[in-house]
Amino acid sequence: MTIGELAVKRPVAMLMFMCFVLLLGFVSLTNLQMDLLPKISPPVLAVVTRMPNAAPQEMSTLITEPLEAIVGTASGLKKITSHSQEGNSLIVLEFNWGSDLDTVRDELKDRIELMPLPEDATKPMVVKFDPTSMPILKLSVTGEKELTEIQRFVEDTVAPEIDSVPGVASVDISGQLTREVQLQLNEERLRELNLSPNALVQIISYNNLNLPADKLQKDNKNLPVRVVGQFEDIKELENLAVSMVPGSDSIKPIYLKDIVEIRDTYAPVSSINRTNGNPGINLSIQREGDANLVTVTQGVLRKIEELKKDGYEITLTMNQGEIVERSIGNIFQNLIIGGALAIVILLVFLRSPLSTLIIAVSIPFSIVATFVLMHFAGLTLNLMTLGGLALGVGMLVDNSIVVIENIYRHLQRGENTVEAAKKGADEVAMAITASTLTTMAVFLPVVFVGGLTGEIFGELAITVAFALLASLVVALTVIPMLASIILKYRKGKITGYKEWKPYSNFLRYPLKFRLITLLITIAVFAAAMSQFGGIGREFIPEMDEGAFNINLSMPVGTKLDVTNTEVEKVERVLEDYEGIRAYSVRVGKNEGTTSGSNTHTAEISVMLVDKADREMETKEYMDKIREDLVDIDGELGFEQQNELRSMAGSSEMQLVLRGRTLAGVQQQTQRIVDELKAMDNLGEVKSNLEDQKPEIQINVDKDRAILYGLTTAQIAQRVRVELGGERITYLTHNGQRIEVRLTTPLTQTKDYNELMQLTIPTNMGEITLDQVAEIKEAMGPQTIYRENQQVTGLIEAKIVDGDLGTVQNDIQGIIDELSLPVGYQTEFTGSAQLMEEGFAGLQFALILAIALVYMIMAAQFESLLNPFIIIFTMPFALIGVVLALLLSGRALGITAYIGIIMLAGIVVNNGIVMVDYINGLRREGMEKQEAIIHGASVRLRPILMTALTTVLALVPLALGIGEGAEMQAPMATAVVGGLVTSTILTLIVIPVLYSYLSPKRIK
């Protein structure tokens, strides 16, 4: 019993099967996670090490370079880059896709454990890059209270409550004050008591201890013994006896409070945080790796509503869940509109509501069935998977159209609906299976592309393949069952699909002038390809997520309060803008893995209202605000927030220069930077070697120092304690560790003249620092960037006008004209590198897709020649691709390239339908020329129906309207353009090619 026969004979069973699939589909849909993009796990590890106050040169020499030598031999390592900044070392290890990072990380940890590091350096952390650890929500708590009260409210109430929400992995707090106990030395009093600072430190730290002291026996029990001496509170610290002096009648103890000033205070702030102009505490919320992003954000938002109270205001400054909801909702809307347009086309061509209803069932049923397959395949609902459904919605009816057409053919012969339904489905089962396989085959290579491109678009390819497979099952089971029932109620006489005379008459001319027809087609193709260079190139389209950052950079070394003054000017401008929902400010150090005390920098994060509620695009807001910020002292940089682009690097254009020496790299980098700054289509051009960081250098005169019994280490230790203080111990109070720091008056003032007169105790009495050292101001690099263990210049820029590919070619031309010396090479990284790697992978995928399509067609036709007739029409789809991209102004990126690969499987379907029918007519004895004209004319309507349903279903996506549509718009544009031209040329060129290449007789 065939599938069609089973479906028609068992309608109740088939109906129950449909209900089962629908039920399972809706259950699967509710359990599918929602995310903006597919789960991406870049093969990247980072090694992070800190050494407070160390200059970039010391960080590079003492930390980064030795670590590079150790981790640089890891298996599967593709590239190693490092950033050495003040107090921080960051080494980024990029591995080949598919590497087992867990094994590599354990291996690196074991190696690093054996490496000796400077005493002040922290233990290197080996961190795996995990996109799911990125914040999904950012909040700011402000209010009419003091910052300390706001901090207490956040730490005691807000953070624990949010952390209890199911799916929340962690809540990070920033901007809070750090409590510490400061002990300010009275050096005169110390000298009177003959105490040195080092001796005082030892007395305090050795008394603040709890130590185990083995065990003893008591009452037949072994009891552990502990010596308890840890300070319970500041009072105990104040009353610590540090020395004894003779009194009038006895020895008198000297307490710590007698020789130091003890202050329970807060550490000096290195950053300032504000939201909408009000000081506050910021929270970043991360979700668990397998938690539903939208569900978690909704749960947190409900919890925030419960936490609101008088005197405090909780403001959202970033909501990834809202972006996902709006984007996916818009794609769903485009999918529904596209499906509706496809159904309208069916109604126009079929002119039968009953037939249209039967075919229309295939769209929602196939989509629901796809949700089942997505659930069991572990996919998520994201822009790529839903975009795949929206792209394929028009193709979901193709198989059903062929089946219903064949059923009508049997009805025309006078057969009853049951027999017509059975035979109509069974006769075309092999043909539509082969046709579906050719379309599915083009997506198979995309899954194996690898790299970031494969990670992003692999789920799209799988989803479209699932949808097409579901539509095939629907066409072979549901459609004949419904036809056998519903078509009983048809009215009027069944008419066959007759050939359309105007087309059949027109077709005689191309067949008469075959050579001229082919030459004209080739000429059109050549003309279109000549314009290919005019299409821009990009990695991925810019998505409007309704948020952007303003980065302010003052001269290196600028004080925090000076930078803050300039930021306040920016805030006053932002206050006047409608359409801004919230803005948050961070003046000073950057939060994150490589945070450092950059008091000369600031970041202002701006969150806009929904796209439907504002008049301008995000880029327009950025341009307008940039024009208003003309009186800012410092450099301003604008960056549109984009989750996917952030993986390619912070800048749109990145270029590295490698060379032999640091001085040579610095010189050649500056030459390139100067040229790039003159380009009109680039802005915010900078390099890591351009900014020099001012510093105070203390050059010890070792000959003079040894006369006083001093070493460089002793002098450095004295200077460090005087300037930065010294952490000597901790107090524990209410479960909180409070740092105890020894300070001096110089720690507070940090005065240059006081530093020169700093006293140093020696065996020969006290001396001043300037007696044994020369103190001078010098300049050094702010960041030392290395790539593959070579000193490298990193140049970054924003593209102001044009596209990535065009700008890249312009920059390469400038570099060629500069004629860099031998031994110096440049290389594009970031988005440009990802674009080239993506194009190379997709080019291979396209070739493999064409080969697979050919093999499937050869197997279907049992002929090696017939597939060539159809394959020859593939390049003509590029005519429409070029025209569509040029007219729409869109660039050729990874998404558009996926559209071209899709075309390789779609455009051949029309040819398969036509050639297969012509071969059938010739087997029945019809003469070759007449078979071509009659077969092409009869197949005109189904070809137009399938093409138009696909094209019109893609129109909403191609227009790129709404949030999230930017990603699929180039892909849909390429498919629409290519399908239109290929359909037109298929109706003309395939008959001509068939007349040339097919044999005179066919078996």
Side-chain angles (χ1 to χ4, degrees):
M1 185 180 291
T2 63
I3 296 177
E5 189 175 354
L6 178 65
V8 173
K9 280 190 173 182
R10 305 287 301 276
V12 175
M14 188 55 56
L15 185 62
M16 291 302 101
F17 169 74
M18 291 176 65
C19 293
F20 171 73
V21 172
L22 289 173
L23 180 63
L24 198 59
F26 285 116
V27 172
S28 299
L29 178 61
T30 57
N31 286 295
L32 284 174
Q33 290 188 30
M34 291 178 68
D35 219 329
L36 188 65
L37 295 167
K39 292 178 181 177
I40 300 171
S41 301
V44 176
L45 293 177
V47 182
V48 184
T49 315
R50 295 188 178 91
M51 190 165 70
N53 301 316
Q57 296 96 322
E58 281 69 46
M59 289 302 301
S60 179
T61 304
L62 300 176
I63 305 290
T64 305
E65 292 178 28
L67 280 174
E68 283 180 338
I70 291 176
V71 302
T73 57
S75 56
L77 185 62
K78 181 180 178 183
K79 187 169 72 172
I80 176 171
T81 58
S82 67
H83 299 254
S84 299
Q85 298 174 306
E86 180 183 345
N88 293 285
S89 167
L90 172 66
I91 302 173
V92 179
L93 308 171
E94 182 182 341
F95 294 86
N96 295 319
W97 288 84
S99 299
D100 185 356
L101 289 193
D102 292 330
T103 302
V104 174
R105 181 170 55 178
D106 293 339
E107 177 189 333
L108 292 180
K109 283 181 179 179
D110 293 339
R111 291 187 193 177
I112 292 172
E113 286 284 348
L114 303 175
M115 173 184 164
L117 289 170
E119 184 180 341
D120 296 336
T122 61
K123 182 181 177 181
M125 297 185 299
V126 183
V127 182
K128 183 179 178 181
F129 179 73
D130 182 9
T132 61
S133 66
M134 303 292 285
I136 61 170
L137 277 171
K138 288 185 180 180
L139 314 173
S140 180
V141 182
T142 58
E144 302 167 359
K145 313 281 187 179
E146 292 292 329
L147 189 61
T148 51
E149 288 194 46
I150 296 174
Q151 179 174 331
R152 192 176 301 113
F153 173 59
V154 168
E155 292 177 343
D156 297 344
T157 305
V158 178
E161 287 292 329
I162 291 177
D163 199 31
S164 68
V165 174
V168 171
S170 64
V171 180
D172 295 334
I173 305 173
S174 62
Q176 70 270 47
L177 299 172
T178 304
R179 186 182 171 194
E180 73 174 19
V181 175
Q182 295 178 357
L183 310 180
Q184 184 163 329
L185 289 175
N186 185 330
E187 297 194 10
E188 290 185 9
R189 189 73 174 121
L190 282 179
R191 282 194 290 270
E192 290 174 6
L193 297 170
N194 197 26
L195 270 177
S196 70
N198 286 339
L200 183 63
V201 168
Q202 288 182 351
I203 291 171
I204 296 171
S205 59
Y206 287 174
N207 276 284
N208 187 29
L209 292 172
N210 289 344
L211 291 174
D214 212 336
K215 297 181 179 181
L216 60 75
Q217 292 183 358
K218 183 182 179 183
D219 298 332
N220 296 323
K221 295 179 181 178
N222 283 326
L223 302 177
V225 179
R226 292 171 62 236
V227 179
V228 180
Q230 200 170 62
F231 301 133
E232 295 290 334
D233 51 33
I234 295 178
K235 284 291 182 184
E236 280 194 43
L237 179 65
E238 290 176 340
N239 295 317
L240 173 68
V242 296
S243 184
M244 307 294 283
V245 295
S248 56
D249 55 355
S250 63
I251 296 176
K252 180 183 177 182
I254 301 297
Y255 299 107
L256 183 63
K257 62 185 178 182
D258 298 328
I259 60 174
V260 300
E261 181 185 349
I262 302 177
R263 291 184 294 184
D264 185 0
T265 183
Y266 293 95
V269 296
S270 56
S271 64
I272 299 172
N273 293 272
R274 285 190 299 273
T275 298
N276 295 335
N278 302 311
I281 305 296
N282 298 330
L283 296 94
S284 294
I285 299 151
Q286 289 82 34
R287 60 168 170 151
E288 294 172 352
D290 58 348
N292 190 314
L293 187 148
V294 173
T295 303
V296 175
T297 54
Q298 289 174 345
V300 172
L301 293 178
R302 285 193 295 269
K303 182 63 70 175
I304 290 172
E305 288 298 318
E306 297 173 9
L307 292 171
K308 286 184 177 179
K309 59 186 293 188
D310 293 341
Y312 300 98
E313 185 176 349
I314 303 177
T315 305
L316 270 176
T317 56
M318 190 272 277
N319 184 353
Q320 196 70 23
E322 184 181 29
I323 296 171
V324 171
E325 282 188 279
R326 291 201 307 261
S327 300
I328 289 182
N330 185 67
I331 296 295
F332 255 125
Q333 181 180 322
N334 286 339
L335 190 154
I336 293 169
I337 295 172
L341 290 174
I343 292 171
V344 169
I345 287 295
L346 292 175
L347 188 59
V348 169
F349 274 90
L350 294 176
R351 288 176 291 180
S352 169
L354 291 179
S355 300
T356 304
L357 176 64
I358 294 170
I359 297 175
V361 168
S362 63
I363 295 179
F365 191 79
S366 299
I367 291 173
V368 172
T370 304
F371 291 145
V372 178
L373 297 173
M374 287 173 61
H375 174 71
F376 288 108
L379 306 184
T380 62
L381 276 181
N382 55 64
L383 288 183
M384 292 294 103
T385 52
L386 277 178
L389 283 176
L391 284 167
V393 67
M395 294 183 283
L396 299 182
V397 298
D398 289 357
N399 293 328
S400 299
I401 289 173
V402 174
V403 171
I404 204 74
E405 178 200 25
N406 207 41
I407 291 173
Y408 262 77
R409 189 168 63 87
H410 283 276
L411 289 173
Q412 184 188 14
R413 294 175 178 174
E415 298 176 9
N416 61 52
T417 53
V418 173
E419 286 300 315
K422 285 192 294 185
K423 293 181 180 178
D426 291 338
E427 285 178 358
V428 296
M430 288 301 297
I432 62 174
T433 299
S435 177
T436 303
L437 289 177
T438 57
T439 308
M440 291 175 60
V442 301
F443 293 102
L444 181 64
V446 176
V447 179
F448 298 103
V449 165
L452 184 58
T453 302
E455 290 278 313
I456 295 171
F457 293 100
E459 290 195 7
L460 180 144
I462 293 171
T463 304
V464 175
F466 282 167
L468 292 174
L469 185 62
S471 74
L472 175 64
V473 174
V474 169
L476 293 176
T477 57
V478 176
I479 296 300
M481 184 271 289
L482 291 177
S484 67
I485 297 172
I486 295 176
L487 291 183
K488 292 177 181 178
Y489 304 100
R490 70 187 185 278
K491 295 180 180 180
K493 186 180 177 183
I494 296 293
T495 57
Y497 294 149
K498 300 176 182 178
E499 64 177 68
W500 192 42
K501 288 298 181 182
Y503 171 64
S504 58
N505 293 334
F506 165 79
L507 193 56
R508 297 182 185 277
Y509 292 98
L511 289 172
K512 184 177 181 181
F513 305 101
R514 294 182 299 178
L515 182 59
I516 295 175
T517 301
L518 292 179
L519 290 176
I520 291 173
T521 305
I522 293 170
V524 172
F525 176 75
M529 290 301 99
S530 67
Q531 301 300 311
F532 188 78
I535 301 174
R537 289 189 304 154
E538 64 181 4
F539 174 51
I540 52 171
E542 189 78 68
M543 285 182 61
D544 188 348
E545 295 183 5
F548 62 93
N549 296 332
I550 305 174
N551 297 303
L552 171 65
S553 181
M554 304 286 287
V556 180
T558 301
K559 291 183 177 180
L560 187 68
D561 57 342
V562 176
T563 307
N564 185 46
T565 301
E566 297 305 311
V567 172
E568 288 173 345
K569 294 180 184 178
V570 178
E571 289 179 284
R572 285 194 289 272
V573 171
L574 295 178
E575 286 173 1
D576 297 332
Y577 270 86
E578 295 183 2
I580 292 180
R581 181 184 301 178
Y583 61 88
S584 60
V585 166
R586 186 171 61 243
V587 187
K589 71 177 183 181
N590 296 320
E591 302 294 339
T593 308
T594 59
S595 58
S597 300
N598 296 325
T599 57
H600 67 288
T601 63
E603 182 182 76
I604 302 99
S605 298
V606 182
M607 185 179 182
L608 303 175
V609 298
D610 293 350
K611 198 171 184 179
D613 299 330
R614 49 186 161 95
E615 298 178 355
M616 295 186 292
E617 300 286 332
T618 301
K619 277 198 169 183
E620 293 177 290
Y621 272 98
M622 293 164 59
D623 294 338
K624 203 167 187 321
I625 292 171
R626 186 187 284 112
E627 294 173 2
D628 293 340
L629 297 175
V630 291
D631 61 338
I632 301 296
D633 295 330
E635 294 184 6
L636 287 172
F638 287 75
E639 181 181 1
Q640 187 168 338
Q641 289 185 18
N642 188 323
E643 182 181 348
L644 188 56
R645 176 164 283 175
S646 64
M647 296 182 188
S650 58
S651 296
E652 296 170 1
M653 176 60 67
Q654 291 180 323
L655 176 72
V656 296
L657 182 141
R658 289 184 286 269
R660 297 174 176 175
T661 64
L662 176 59
V665 169
Q666 191 167 357
Q667 181 184 7
Q668 300 305 323
T669 298
Q670 192 59 48
R671 288 179 66 198
I672 297 175
V673 167
D674 292 340
E675 291 292 331
L676 297 190
K677 284 183 175 179
M679 293 178 63
D680 295 333
N681 49 5
L682 283 182
E684 302 175 33
V685 181
K686 59 184 178 181
S687 80
N688 64 307
L689 300 174
E690 190 174 21
D691 289 333
Q692 294 289 298
K693 186 179 181 67
E695 61 185 18
I696 301 296
Q697 293 182 353
I698 300 174
N699 297 319
V700 176
D701 186 333
K702 295 182 178 60
D703 293 336
R704 290 187 61 80
I706 199 63
L707 294 176
Y708 297 100
L710 294 172
T711 63
T712 301
Q714 290 173 308
I715 295 171
Q717 174 71 9
R718 175 68 172 160
V719 172
R720 186 175 63 181
V721 171
E722 288 286 335
L723 283 176
E726 182 178 10
R727 186 190 67 218
I728 56 176
T729 189
Y730 288 96
L731 288 178
T732 303
H733 181 66
N734 292 334
Q736 180 185 9
R737 291 184 80 196
I738 304 170
E739 191 173 284
V740 179
R741 181 172 291 275
L742 193 67
T743 66
T744 69
L746 184 57
T747 307
Q748 307 299 322
T749 62
K750 298 187 184 295
D751 185 79
Y752 178 80
N753 294 323
E754 288 184 32
L755 175 64
M756 296 178 67
Q757 298 303 313
L758 174 65
T759 58
I760 303 174
T762 71
N763 295 332
M764 300 172 63
E766 288 188 345
I767 63 171
T768 58
L769 180 61
D770 59 359
Q771 289 181 258
V772 291
E774 178 189 3
I775 305 173
K776 64 178 183 179
E777 188 172 344
M779 302 294 287
Q782 186 177 350
T783 304
I784 296 177
Y785 178 79
R786 290 163 56 87
E787 186 173 297
N788 294 330
Q789 304 185 49
Q790 274 188 297
V791 176
T792 306
L794 174 63
I795 302 169
E796 298 179 304
K798 292 285 194 304
I799 298 174
V800 177
D801 184 32
D803 58 88
L804 179 61
T806 303
V807 173
Q808 182 182 351
N809 292 335
D810 293 343
I811 293 174
Q812 188 59 56
I814 289 173
I815 294 172
D816 293 340
E817 291 177 4
L818 287 175
S819 300
L820 298 177
V822 177
Y824 293 87
Q825 307 90 28
T826 60
E827 180 184 359
F828 289 98
T829 60
S831 296
Q833 184 180 35
L834 289 173
M835 179 181 71
E836 296 298 334
E837 291 175 354
F839 280 177
L842 291 177
Q843 185 176 3
F844 169 76
L846 178 60
I847 295 171
L848 186 59
I850 293 172
L852 289 174
V853 168
Y854 172 81
M855 287 187 278
I856 292 172
M857 289 194 297
Q860 178 191 0
F861 288 114
E862 196 60 35
S863 167
L864 298 176
L865 182 62
N866 283 339
F868 271 117
I869 299 173
I870 301 168
I871 287 285
F872 281 146
T873 63
M874 279 189 184
F876 299 128
L878 292 177
I879 298 172
V881 173
V882 172
L883 290 176
L885 292 177
L886 283 174
L887 291 174
S888 63
R890 295 197 166 98
L892 176 65
I894 301 300
T895 52
Y897 214 126
I898 293 289
I900 294 173
I901 294 175
M902 287 178 63
L903 282 170
I906 297 172
V907 300
V908 297
N909 289 336
N910 293 333
I912 290 172
V913 170
M914 182 180 290
V915 171
D916 185 58
Y917 191 69
I918 293 172
N919 285 343
L921 292 175
R922 293 183 64 192
R923 289 190 189 96
E924 293 174 2
M926 189 176 290
E927 188 266 331
K928 180 178 178 180
Q929 181 85 349
E930 287 304 313
I932 292 173
I933 295 173
H934 180 71
S937 301
V938 168
R939 287 303 182 192
L940 173 65
R941 186 162 78 163
I943 287 175
L944 290 178
M945 285 172 64
T946 55
L948 285 175
T949 51
T950 303
V951 167
L952 284 183
L954 288 174
V955 166
L957 275 185
L959 293 176
I961 299 172
E963 295 182 63
E966 302 97 333
M967 184 67 73
Q968 282 84 16
M971 194 187 316
T973 302
V975 174
V976 167
L979 191 54
V980 168
T981 56
S982 67
T983 301
I984 294 171
L985 291 175
T986 294
L987 296 172
I988 300 172
V989 176
I990 281 190
V992 173
L993 287 173
Y994 187 92
S995 68
Y996 260 128
L997 300 177
S998 67
K1000 291 183 178 180
R1001 292 182 181 179
I1002 191 168
K1003 296 180 181 179

